[in-house]
Amino acid sequence: MRKPLVAGNWKMNMTRATGQALVAELSGLPAAVEVVVCPPFTLLAEIAAHCPAGVSTGGQDCFWVPNGAFTGQISAEMLDDAGARYGIVGHSETRGRFGKLDIDAGDVGYFAETNTTVRRKMEALMRVGLVPILCVGETLAEREAGRTEDVIREQLEGAFQGFTEGDMAKTVVAYEPVWAIGTGQTCAADEANRVCAFIRQWFPAGVQNQVRVLYGGSVKAENAAELFGQSDIDGGLVGGASLDAAGFRRIVEAAAP
Ligand code: PEP
């Protein structure tokens, strides 16, 4: 039986004061749901130290080398040292699109992440015992071109190349259609479930029942129960709605079996 997981991605939001106040309001969440908050790096150690029982922390990204001359980067070892237990990898805001970046034209992949760098980050997290939350998903143009499954297959093949079945089973995959992130445009629950099932079935048979597959993209208190009630959706990766304690609590409660 897979334990439901709800992870909040705070992105570039929150201060020490507001972050602490938010997690202080997250006590007493249902024990049947694993809850993770992913603050900015600067808050990670502090939030990890102040999380109520049942809530753990994750990083939003990492670099794959343990330490060295890599200005501006944070390694998996540093996430571990700060108290994190999870790490988001391959978010659409860190991936690159089509090898070029045009922010003025609305590109969302600001940091030129490729499937290869995603894999290195996955390996780095596993090296220190952190659980990767791998984000995969198609853009609107890719969906309209009928390429959703192809794009996701490529992302999975890239991220898990060389992984043993045992290591695959320890990871979490979040299906995050790029067109649904931060737009208020949620993927219909049955369609989200169909793609999550496709992701699950990509794994070897022995892994399929163990790997947790989340949905992310404009999850809110109002739509969480329908999404989490689907057979192949094991919880959610929540951006904007994780910044409000009351709303996030309702989302977590919606994931309880
Ligand atoms: C995300 O950034 O992972 C996300 C799902 O954002 P939002 O919930 O705001 O769409």
Side-chain angles (χ1 to χ4, degrees):
M1 178 78 177
R2 299 180 298 273
K3 187 170 184 177
L5 170 65
V6 175
N9 175 10
W10 292 2
K11 308 195 185 189
M12 200 172 70
N13 294 293
M14 294 289 168
T15 61
R16 286 191 293 163
T18 58
Q20 271 197 37
L22 195 155
V23 291
E25 288 185 59
L26 297 181
S27 57
L29 292 172
V33 182
E34 204 167 330
V35 180
V36 181
V37 294
C38 301
F41 295 135
T42 50
L43 305 185
L44 197 43
E46 188 152 352
I47 297 298
H50 285 90
C51 270
V55 180
S56 54
T57 54
Q60 296 178 13
D61 191 13
C62 71
F63 194 62
W64 55 87
V65 176
N67 59 273
F70 301 98
T71 303
Q73 301 305 301
I74 300 288
S75 67
E77 282 75 1
M78 289 169 168
L79 295 183
D80 182 40
D81 184 51
R85 293 194 46 222
Y86 289 81
I88 296 173
V89 190
H91 193 279
S92 57
E93 288 155 13
T94 62
R95 284 182 187 265
R97 289 284 156 196
F98 310 117
K100 65 183 172 66
L101 174 65
D102 187 348
I103 293 171
D104 293 332
D107 282 359
V108 292
Y110 306 114
F111 301 107
E113 184 98 287
T114 66
N115 286 330
T116 303
T117 60
V118 166
R119 188 188 74 244
R120 290 188 176 159
K121 293 176 180 188
M122 301 266 294
E123 289 166 352
L125 290 167
M126 301 290 292
R127 174 174 77 220
V128 295
L130 299 192
V131 178
I133 302 176
L134 169 70
C135 301
V136 298
E138 81 289 358
T139 62
L140 186 58
E142 289 163 344
R143 171 162 281 262
E144 287 175 348
R147 297 197 57 235
T148 298
E149 285 81 358
D150 289 345
V151 169
I152 291 173
R153 190 183 303 109
E154 272 170 37
Q155 291 171 335
L156 292 169
E157 283 171 2
F160 286 104
Q161 199 187 329
F163 271 56
T164 64
E165 292 193 16
D167 280 348
M168 283 179 180
K170 292 178 196 152
T171 67
V172 176
V173 181
Y175 169 50
E176 296 219 308
V178 180
W179 48 271
I181 295 178
T183 59
Q185 212 185 321
T186 316
C187 186
D190 57 349
E191 173 60 8
N193 192 49
R194 188 188 70 77
V195 181
C196 287
F198 169 81
I199 291 168
R200 191 178 303 289
Q201 282 154 19
W202 176 84
F203 286 95
V207 176
Q208 291 178 7
N209 280 331
Q210 296 182 64
V211 66
R212 284 181 290 182
V213 183
L214 313 181
Y215 168 78
S218 297
V219 174
K220 10 185 203 289
E222 294 72 29
N223 59 24
E226 191 189 3
L227 286 160
F228 301 162
Q230 304 291 316
S231 56
D232 278 292
I233 300 181
D234 300 321
L237 180 55
V238 185
S242 70
L243 301 175
D244 169 64
F248 189 59
R249 172 179 294 278
R250 286 175 60 200
I251 292 170
V252 172
E253 286 168 354

